[in-house]
Amino acid sequence: MTLAAASHGFLSPTGVEIAFLLVGLVTLGAAVITVTTRQLVHAALWLVVALGGLAVEYLLLTAEFIAWVQVLIYVGAVVVLILFGLMLTRAPIGRSPDADSGNRWVALTVAVASAAALVWVVVDAFRTTWIDLDGPAAGSTAVTGASLFQNWVLPFEALSVLLLAALVGAIVLSRKAKAAHAGEASRPGTSQPENPRPGTSRTGGAR
């Protein structure tokens, strides 16, 4: 053990640890804004910030493969899918009061309980796990790619099918809305009132 490693402790963080903490705070703030804002487009854009912050965290942990997968799949595909879904379903662009269900405290309780359970499961699972620092990096492209396409290829393909189903569902919902609007417009006795031209009355005579 070198002198630098021996003198390093909790009260003397390195630059990487400080950057990790700052990026984590930004990511947490973006995630909070994502679930609290009432503008759907703003929520999708803040989700980009949150997912991008996670990619930076992976880079700081030397897991470059996971970082680029985070950028390509989540930032480049999932968020684009959400934006396409908002456009195809003609979701409101501005502030939408309907975006708040009024169950914030219930949602907050469930989120805190889920986070606590996740932290407990991860800590308990890796309590006796030892990392060989002299061996190959666990987050390298070769190691992670081999594990992904050997052990996790089925969930990976299931996720791609799920994203495709979400896009098809958005298209189906948009087409149903257009068909319903066209059916209402074609009913007898539901003609749209015409705005009279300036300078003329409804009877057609000039003012």
Side-chain angles (χ1 to χ4, degrees), residues 3-196:
L3 181 60
S7 61
H8 175 67
F10 179 76
L11 297 179
S12 59
T14 62
V16 175
E17 292 174 347
I18 295 175
F20 187 88
L21 178 61
L22 294 178
V23 174
L25 292 176
V26 173
T27 305
L28 178 61
V32 172
I33 297 177
T34 300
V35 298
T36 55
T37 183
R38 295 187 179 182
Q39 300 191 22
L40 298 179
V41 177
H42 289 182
L45 296 178
W46 279 109
L47 182 60
V48 173
V49 178
L51 296 177
L54 287 178
V56 175
E57 299 282 57
Y58 288 133
L59 282 178
L60 294 176
L61 293 174
T62 65
E64 68 276 3
F65 181 80
I66 303 298
W68 294 123
V69 167
Q70 178 81 12
V71 172
L72 292 176
I73 295 181
Y74 287 96
V75 179
V78 174
V79 176
V80 172
L81 178 63
I82 293 175
L83 292 176
F84 268 98
L86 293 177
M87 290 186 293
L88 291 174
T89 55
R90 295 183 179 181
I93 301 300
R95 182 178 293 273
S96 177
D98 298 335
D100 189 4
S101 63
N103 297 324
R104 289 193 174 188
W105 291 109
V106 177
L108 180 60
T109 303
V110 173
V112 172
S114 301
L118 180 62
V119 170
W120 181 81
V121 168
V122 171
V123 171
D124 184 70
F126 293 94
R127 187 185 305 275
T128 58
T129 300
W130 294 88
I131 300 176
D132 185 10
L133 298 179
D134 297 329
S140 63
T141 304
V143 175
T144 308
S147 176
L148 176 64
F149 292 104
Q150 287 180 359
N151 304 324
W152 302 98
V153 62
L154 184 59
F156 186 80
E157 294 298 329
L159 179 61
S160 62
V161 174
L162 178 62
L163 296 177
L164 179 61
L167 181 59
V168 172
I171 296 175
V172 171
L173 290 176
S174 64
R175 288 184 177 273
K176 284 185 178 181
K178 290 181 181 179
H181 182 71
E184 292 179 359
S186 62
R187 290 178 182 176
T190 59
S191 58
Q192 300 293 332
E194 297 181 356
N195 294 328

